[in-house]
Amino acid sequence: MALKNLLVLVVLLGIVGVSLANPYGNPLRKQNGQRNPKMQGDLDLDYYRSTCPQVETIVRRVTFQYVSRRPTLAAALLRMHFHDCFVRGCDGSILLKSPFKDAERDAVPNLSVRGYEVVDAAKSALDRIKGCRGAVSCADVLALVARDAVAVIGGPWWPVPLGRRDGRISKLSEVNLPSPFSDVKTLKKNFLDKGLNTKDLVVLSGAHTIGVSSCAIINNRIHNFTGRGDFDPAMNPSYVRALKKRCKPTDFKTPVDMDPGSAKKFDSHYFNIVAQKKGLFTSDATLLDDLDTNLYIQAQVLTRGASFNRDFSESMVKLGFVEILTGKQGEVRRKCAFVN
């Protein structure tokens, strides 16, 4: 590497706080030499030790059975966990059904969420084990399933402290998720409102390295951005030409990879794509408009994602603490789709 690039890299790493050492380090720091420290918010890595010590093994086995056969479920289950945590916190409220079709899962952004059968299967498997039956919350099952699904396809692993309780409320009207059409200022506020910072925003956006969207989300960006038959100038023209071949103006169904060239592999390639102005969504492209998020992207490109897995693990641990219910709050649902 040329001296100039090395100097640039040192500056970038210093600003964004990237460490090249131990990229797979444990996000849960050891305290006083203890292996499994008690976590804030009453969550604990050993929460089910006395009731259901097999919980992680059982959930991992079920998740592997599903995701190994249908690898695209990894992106779907990770997305489900994210959508759950951003509305009423990580309380499993996205899993609830309503006879009136007015629950979270009925909101437009959640109509394409899938993988509910994996969570239900894991919950059922737990309920067949004495001690586990009725002990493990659906919110905890979802958090574990999301982690294990990513691991099945070769992505990073992160510890999941447990002890969440399930919420009893799920309202379509409360769904206000970060939008694929938002600018970086709006996204930063969305994340800050949930106790997540700018680094968490850009790191968790890296989840777009797996999965697909549809032509419906990007048609205006590529065909009629300002109403004059133009495309978004923030997009790479060659990428626009490729997308136009796949997505006709009236096409709202054809799937489109969020990370072209690497959509089935969990890696840092997403940041290369964004740096080349090939981010599929406005919310991807706008990460270049902020100094901190842009610098993080450039650092991942220059280091080939040296810290991405570790950073993603740390941000996922933080996400799992968003507005949790613990103790006597909420309940432990018998069936994940219905309150007790």
Side-chain angles (χ1 to χ4, degrees):
M1 183 180 292
L3 178 59
K4 180 179 179 181
N5 284 344
L6 281 172
L7 291 173
V8 171
L9 177 57
V10 169
V11 173
L12 286 173
L13 295 181
I15 293 175
V16 301
V18 175
S19 171
L20 295 179
N22 190 17
Y24 302 98
N26 190 333
L28 297 181
R29 306 304 186 201
K30 293 181 180 179
Q31 296 177 359
N32 301 322
Q34 296 181 8
R35 183 168 173 266
N36 292 334
K38 188 78 173 179
M39 300 301 299
Q40 75 257 27
D42 295 324
L43 297 192
D44 190 338
L45 290 170
D46 289 331
Y47 185 81
Y48 295 108
R49 171 174 284 184
S50 62
T51 55
C52 183
Q54 318 99 307
V55 58
E56 294 203 41
T57 301
I58 294 169
V59 173
R60 186 180 303 116
R61 172 175 53 80
V62 172
T63 305
F64 178 82
Q65 290 171 348
Y66 278 86
V67 179
S68 61
R69 293 195 300 263
R70 296 165 57 198
T72 58
L73 279 172
L77 291 164
L78 183 60
R79 180 173 180 240
M80 184 191 293
H81 181 43
F82 181 88
H83 282 211
D84 180 46
C85 292
F86 257 77
V87 182
R88 285 191 166 266
C90 308
D91 67 344
S93 52
I94 194 173
L95 304 171
L96 287 171
K97 289 182 178 179
S98 165
F100 307 106
K101 300 296 182 183
D102 60 356
E104 288 176 32
R105 66 195 292 167
D106 302 306
V108 171
N110 288 332
L111 294 178
S112 57
V113 169
R114 59 192 181 90
Y116 295 104
E117 70 276 13
V118 185
V119 179
D120 290 339
K123 175 71 170 174
S124 295
L126 288 167
D127 284 344
R128 290 193 291 270
I129 306 298
K130 184 179 180 180
C132 299
R133 187 179 304 114
V136 183
S137 69
C138 296
D140 276 347
V141 173
L142 176 53
L144 288 169
V145 163
R147 187 271 308 277
D148 293 339
V150 171
V152 171
I153 64 167
W157 181 94
W158 58 91
V160 178
L162 301 168
R164 298 167 190 79
R165 303 271 289 183
D166 295 321
R168 298 188 181 97
I169 299 171
S170 184
K171 296 181 179 179
L172 180 155
S173 60
E174 292 183 348
V175 175
N176 185 25
L177 294 160
S179 168
F181 309 109
S182 291
D183 60 23
V184 70
K185 182 178 179 180
T186 302
L187 293 171
K188 288 172 70 173
K189 185 180 187 304
N190 292 155
F191 275 66
L192 186 62
D193 288 346
K194 299 300 177 181
L196 301 170
N197 60 29
T198 299
K199 184 176 180 181
D200 297 317
L201 163 61
V202 65
V203 169
L204 293 177
S205 294
H208 290 173
T209 187
I210 53 174
V212 299
S213 184
S214 69
C215 291
I217 300 295
I218 60 165
N219 265 339
N220 281 347
R221 275 197 91 196
I222 63 175
H223 289 296
N224 198 26
F225 187 61
T226 65
R228 300 177 181 178
D230 56 348
F231 64 85
D232 185 349
M235 297 183 80
N236 185 309
S238 66
Y239 184 44
V240 173
R241 288 192 293 270
L243 288 173
K244 283 184 174 180
K245 291 179 180 178
R246 187 167 183 83
C247 298
K248 302 305 178 185
T250 57
D251 183 355
F252 299 102
K253 295 183 179 180
T254 300
V256 182
D257 289 344
M258 292 191 289
D259 183 4
S262 186
K264 295 181 180 180
K265 183 179 180 183
F266 197 103
D267 56 21
S268 66
H269 187 259
Y270 163 82
F271 298 108
N272 297 62
I273 290 299
V274 173
Q276 297 166 17
K277 298 186 177 181
K278 295 181 181 179
L280 189 64
F281 307 134
T282 298
S283 59
D284 297 317
T286 194
L287 296 176
L288 295 175
D289 299 332
D290 177 83
L291 177 61
D292 292 330
T293 54
N294 192 326
L295 285 173
Y296 184 86
I297 290 167
Q298 301 306 326
Q300 295 308 311
V301 172
L302 282 172
T303 65
R304 298 182 180 179
S307 74
F308 175 53
N309 277 6
R310 185 204 64 195
D311 294 340
F312 190 82
S313 297
E314 291 181 348
S315 289
M316 285 303 299
V317 172
K318 289 178 66 176
L319 176 67
F321 280 100
V322 170
E323 298 173 3
I324 54 172
L325 301 176
T326 60
K328 296 182 179 180
Q329 298 171 312
E331 64 185 11
V332 175
R333 285 185 224 135
R334 290 187 287 271
K335 296 291 183 181
C336 291
F338 306 98
V339 297
N340 293 341

